[in-house]
Amino acid sequence: MFDRFSNDAKRTMSFARQHALRLGHDCITPEHLLFGLLELPQCSAVVLLQRLGVDRAALAADLDRLIRPEATPVTLGQLPFTPQAKRVLEYMFEEYSQLGHRSVGTGHLLLGLLRSEGTVACTALAHGTVALAAVRTALAEPGGLGTGEPFDTDKRRCLLISNSTMHG
């Protein structure tokens, strides 16, 4: 599933897991995904949030205040996603597909979080006056923030060579 993710999106997932563990939770929630996103101040989604007037540190503090840690720390290897977090990922892939980008980026995750109405993450973002339409428009702009990592032509060349039927 993560093979189409940009490096920042992969790192976000890793940070989300770390936040779930830090809070002693046994599942990854949309709020953990938002925490993970906020760990990358230079990623496209956080840059866009800052352009929209959201204070990253204040948003993280709001999330910390709203989410309660569990008394017993979790030491599991893999953490499953909650149904709400799975829905966020589904929305993220829908946005990626509709926008026709090369990789799934943090901007697509932000759209997924904004579409997950009723979650603490969506409420926290809405409180910061982040509008779904504004984010989608910014990501749809040619050369905008949502295009993911630039396409590496060296990788493409290697891929073509590796699939070639010519010898030598």
Side-chain angles (χ1 to χ4, degrees):
M1 172 172 88
F2 298 112
D3 57 333
R4 290 180 274 176
F5 279 38
S6 69
N7 286 336
D8 281 345
K10 288 176 186 176
R11 290 178 60 209
T12 297
M13 294 298 146
S14 176
F15 285 129
R17 181 183 177 282
Q18 289 175 16
H19 277 282
L21 291 171
R22 173 182 67 86
L23 293 166
H25 296 164
D26 59 356
C27 293
I28 297 174
T29 68
E31 295 71 38
H32 299 129
L33 294 172
L34 182 53
F35 266 129
L37 194 64
L38 296 174
E39 286 287 331
L40 299 170
Q42 301 303 318
C43 75
S44 61
V46 174
V47 169
L48 179 56
L49 286 173
Q50 290 172 338
R51 285 186 188 173
L52 294 172
V54 174
D55 181 344
R56 182 179 68 88
L59 181 57
D62 285 346
L63 280 174
D64 244 348
R65 206 173 47 253
L66 293 170
I67 300 173
R68 297 187 180 168
E70 295 294 324
T72 308
V74 177
T75 57
L76 301 174
Q78 289 286 63
L79 295 180
F81 292 94
T82 63
Q84 296 89 356
K86 287 179 184 178
R87 176 70 62 187
V88 168
L89 297 177
E90 289 171 9
Y91 289 147
M92 177 182 65
F93 278 110
E94 284 177 18
E95 296 293 339
Y96 153 78
S97 180
Q98 288 173 2
L99 291 168
H101 292 153
R102 292 187 180 125
S103 63
V104 178
T106 57
H108 304 111
L109 176 58
L110 178 59
L111 287 171
L113 289 165
L114 286 167
R115 287 180 59 186
S116 64
E117 295 178 7
T119 65
V120 172
C122 183
T123 303
L125 287 167
H127 179 68
T129 65
V130 179
L132 178 65
V135 173
R136 190 177 286 133
T137 300
L139 294 177
E141 292 174 0
L145 295 169
T147 56
E149 298 174 333
F151 189 68
D152 188 342
T153 55
D154 289 337
K155 288 182 183 175
R156 181 183 59 179
R157 183 164 184 233
C158 291
L159 176 65
L160 292 174
I161 290 170
S162 69
N163 289 336
S164 174
T165 58
M166 298 176 64
H167 298 286

